[in-house]
Amino acid sequence: EMSEMSERSKQNVAHGLAWSYYIGYLKIVLPRLKNSMEEFSRANPNMLACRETWKLHILVPLSCDVYDDLEKADSSIQYLKDLTETTLTRAGTKKRVYKHSLYAIRDEGNKLWHCAVEFATPLQSLHAMSQDECAAFSREERLEQAKLFYRTLEEILKGSKECAGTYRLIAYEESAEADTHFLSREILWHLRQQCHEEYAVCEGNHLHAPSTTFSPTELNLQISNSDLPQPLRSNCF
């Protein structure tokens, strides 16, 4: 009966997607990321000056709008090159390739910041489910599932020793106003914050948190801590 209630409320969807994303992807690639960044830094010593940014920056838009081409989403984001790929045999596929793309983010002063960044791909599934009649996902349910996905993934990664210090989750809700550089500003804020954490004193670099980036505490408040199925709500956003 509890299983049927959970199925009807779709509460198991985001939880399963988060675990699948971690087990089938992040747990494989994140422990190898530092070596790839180190290798790139040796060849390009001036591009990755702040070691705190040597992480995979995972974009988690609560709208589940995932762009396949970051350069088309924001002209201030430019593809640079791919980091060294990892090749493994997985689930019957010989030499399956895993790789990350490095991007240059141009700030307001025309300075370039470099980082590995990509969207959390399971959000594409949530978005597709909301467009499919068989899944019958409403926009409100999709939003709640996106928040639950973020919270679950964050808890999983916090408990993973292999992935410690190799990732940065960037959860955000897109601005209702047309802003062609919204995404680059979100990423830049996180890059600056990480460099600020590494260098405690940064003269003349006052950090402003973007209005749409949510802290873990804020997101946790939107979702019940109960283990029992709860009605899906999105009236907090």
Side-chain angles (χ1 to χ4, degrees):
E1 182 179 354
M2 290 296 296
S3 178
E4 289 179 0
M5 291 173 64
S6 180
E7 287 286 347
R8 286 196 296 270
S9 67
K10 306 181 181 71
Q11 288 205 339
N12 59 330
V13 174
H15 185 266
L17 285 175
W19 270 105
S20 178
Y21 185 47
Y22 168 70
I23 295 294
Y25 179 63
L26 295 181
K27 191 176 181 180
I28 298 170
V29 301
L30 288 182
R32 298 171 168 83
L33 182 66
K34 289 287 187 180
N35 289 337
S36 295
M37 300 293 276
E38 183 75 48
E39 181 180 329
F40 180 85
S41 181
R42 285 196 299 267
N44 306 272
N46 297 323
M47 287 189 178
L48 299 174
C50 180
R51 295 184 69 92
E52 280 298 308
T53 63
W54 292 16
K55 302 171 183 176
L56 180 61
H57 296 77
I58 304 171
L59 302 175
V60 186
L62 298 183
S63 65
C64 295
D65 288 332
V66 173
Y67 299 93
D68 290 325
D69 193 332
L70 286 172
E71 293 176 299
K72 290 183 179 179
D74 190 324
S75 60
S76 292
I77 303 175
Q78 301 172 1
Y79 168 76
L80 191 61
K81 66 173 297 182
D82 291 333
L83 294 175
T84 303
E85 62 187 34
T86 296
T87 303
L88 299 172
T89 296
R90 294 278 295 177
T93 300
K94 296 290 187 179
K95 298 181 180 180
R96 177 169 290 182
V97 175
Y98 300 86
K99 64 180 180 180
H100 308 291
S101 295
L102 199 65
Y103 287 88
I105 318 295
R106 190 178 301 276
D107 66 14
E108 301 84 353
N110 218 34
K111 175 184 175 181
L112 293 179
W113 299 68
H114 302 90
C115 69
V117 58
E118 60 189 52
F119 282 96
T121 52
L123 295 180
Q124 287 183 312
S125 297
L126 284 178
H127 192 276
M129 289 178 71
S130 69
Q131 307 296 315
D132 194 306
E133 293 182 1
C134 295
F137 245 41
S138 69
R139 181 182 179 278
E140 291 74 18
E141 289 172 327
R142 185 184 71 195
L143 178 59
E144 194 68 18
Q145 287 296 309
K147 290 184 281 184
L148 182 56
F149 171 83
Y150 171 84
R151 180 187 172 188
T152 304
L153 182 61
E154 181 189 46
E155 291 177 350
I156 293 171
L157 287 171
K158 280 185 176 179
S160 173
K161 294 180 180 179
E162 303 100 316
C163 299
T166 62
Y167 67 92
R168 178 89 170 190
L169 295 179
I170 304 178
Y172 62 90
E173 186 175 41
E174 292 187 71
S175 173
E177 301 178 1
D179 186 350
T180 57
H181 299 299
F182 170 83
L183 188 56
S184 60
R185 277 199 288 270
E186 288 288 329
I187 299 171
L188 284 168
W189 183 84
H190 282 269
L191 294 176
R192 286 166 174 156
Q193 188 183 56
Q194 290 171 89
C195 289
H196 183 74
E197 291 168 355
E198 181 175 4
Y199 306 106
V201 179
C202 294
E203 297 182 3
N205 186 22
H206 185 68
L207 302 176
H208 297 273
S211 59
T212 56
T213 297
F214 306 104
S215 69
T217 302
E218 288 175 313
L219 282 175
N220 284 349
L221 292 175
Q222 312 307 322
I223 303 170
S224 170
N225 288 321
S226 171
D227 291 331
L228 297 177
Q230 300 292 327
L232 292 168
R233 299 180 58 202
S234 60
N235 59 350
C236 297
F237 282 76

